[in-house]
Amino acid sequence: MTAERSVLDDVRRLLRWAVAVLVVTLVVALVAVVGSLRLLTAGADAETIADARRWNEVLFLAVGLLVLVAAGLGWYAWRVVQRQVTVPLARLAAEVRAASTGEHAHEIPRVGAGEVAALSDDVETMRRELVAQVADAREAHAEVEHAHEQLREQAAELERSNRDLEQFAYVASHDLQEPLRKVASFTQLLQKRYGDRLDDRADQYIAFAVDGAHRMQRLIQDLLSFSRVGRSGAPPQDVPLEEVLAHVLGDLADRIAEQQAEVTHDPLPVVRGEPGLLTMLLRNVVGNALKFARPGEVPRVHLTAARTAGQSGPEWELACADNGIGIDPQYAERVFVIFQRLHPKEVYTGTGIGLALVKRVVEHHGGRVWIDPEATVGTTVRWTLPAGA
């Protein structure tokens, strides 16, 4: 403690006085008893008895005085405890109750002395810290509410954007494709009817126009597929990839026969997802492997699957490896961006949406997709899907 006298010091001082009084009482009583015994043993005459009586009177008087002194010390100790402990603690308790029942700004004054005063200072320090923490919590709550309000606004904006996207998909699937079909059809009719009157350059221009219309139709169809991923609302279900791959290979049968390609696979698992999207995924992965074959070599495509432990549960890591032209590691991320082409359209056909669509489907199922950097021949595309039951 400081130079200020503490309650413990006062209590210790009173105890010392009480001990001193008890010692004096014992000494006086012992002296009186010894004196009485000495007088009585000298002879039991009247004078001796009178002396012993006087010693006893002195003893009673001394003990009485000491009892009064002890009583006074006890009363004084009680007053000290009441004045320095009981009353200040009661006042401190009242101040704490006032501060804890909503009046958080109510300052707790310094009450009492010594340890009680130090306790009141500590309580006031704690109150200030709690008030600061409450203010911080309210500020954080206000920030969270503001963030929630922004999220609600963004969600509303996203909903409006989705409605616009749906409207765009409707327009693209009906209003845009119909004029393109007419352009291609009438251009071909023009060539058929007046082909004998046109020169080679005119035939070339007509071919360009028809090819452009067809490519625009394919681009619109791919964009529609890209925009519809995850918008069917169908609940996920167990999908056997063996059956999905068989369906995909049936669709690609003509191309496989034309290229004399070899498409093999290990036993494929049952995964959790949407059958239509998973069919689209495998069709694009296998189709890309066939498209980017190495000139002069028979295309070989092989699919594998391995069960792994994902962050959100068991999953399957699948891979599609080919012996094609491969992908430069510096473009390993770029190939998954929509409309990003690494080769001219005159060399390899397509709209540049295939792998972007694969990534969108995989991420919709909670997985990830990447190009295996350790592949030494061709390209190996790896992706993860949640495991089925």
Side-chain angles (χ1 to χ4, degrees), residues 86 123 142 202 232 293 311 316 369:
T86 306
V123 171
S232 66
Q311 295 182 349
W316 286 94
V369 59

Side-chain angles (χ1 to χ4, degrees), residues 135-309:
D136 292 342
R138 287 176 178 172
E139 184 178 356
H141 180 71
E143 292 178 356
V144 171
E145 285 295 327
H146 180 65
H148 285 172
E149 181 63 27
Q150 288 184 328
L151 286 176
R152 284 191 289 268
E153 293 177 358
Q154 291 176 358
E157 181 63 27
L158 182 60
E159 185 177 355
R160 288 192 295 269
S161 176
N162 287 338
R163 287 197 299 267
D164 294 341
L165 181 61
E166 290 178 357
Q167 184 65 26
F168 163 77
Y170 176 81
V171 171
S173 61
H174 295 82
D175 299 346
L176 291 181
Q177 293 200 54
E178 183 60 29
L180 286 174
R181 282 193 293 266
K182 288 185 177 180
V183 169
S185 299
F186 282 103
T187 304
Q188 290 172 331
L189 287 174
L190 178 65
Q191 183 183 31
K192 182 177 180 181
R193 176 168 296 184
Y194 301 101
D196 55 346
R197 305 180 190 179
L198 302 175
D199 57 11
D200 293 339
R201 185 175 294 276
D203 291 338
Q204 185 181 21
Y205 290 162
I206 291 175
F208 286 159
V210 174
D211 179 67
H214 287 165
R215 284 194 294 109
M216 181 61 74
Q217 285 180 324
R218 288 196 299 271
L219 179 60
I220 291 174
Q221 291 169 357
D222 289 344
L223 280 173
L224 285 173
S225 299
F226 188 84
S227 65
R228 287 170 178 168
V229 172
R231 300 182 59 79
S232 66
Q237 61 187 37
D238 289 341
V239 181
L241 290 184
E242 293 270 2
E243 298 179 5
V244 174
L245 181 61
H247 179 71
V248 169
L249 294 181
D251 293 341
L252 299 174
D254 293 340
R255 187 192 300 183
I256 293 174
E258 180 183 351
Q259 296 180 256
Q260 298 180 346
E262 298 178 5
V263 181
T264 58
H265 63 89
D266 292 347
L268 298 181
V270 174
V271 298
R272 194 75 177 166
E274 298 183 31
L277 295 181
L278 295 177
T279 301
M280 188 185 307
L281 186 156
L282 288 182
R283 183 183 295 117
N284 277 277
V285 170
V286 176
N288 264 17
L290 295 174
K291 180 195 300 184
F292 296 100
R294 192 180 299 272
E297 292 188 16
V298 175
R300 292 183 175 84
V301 183
H302 185 68
L303 286 86
T304 60
R307 192 178 180 91
T308 60

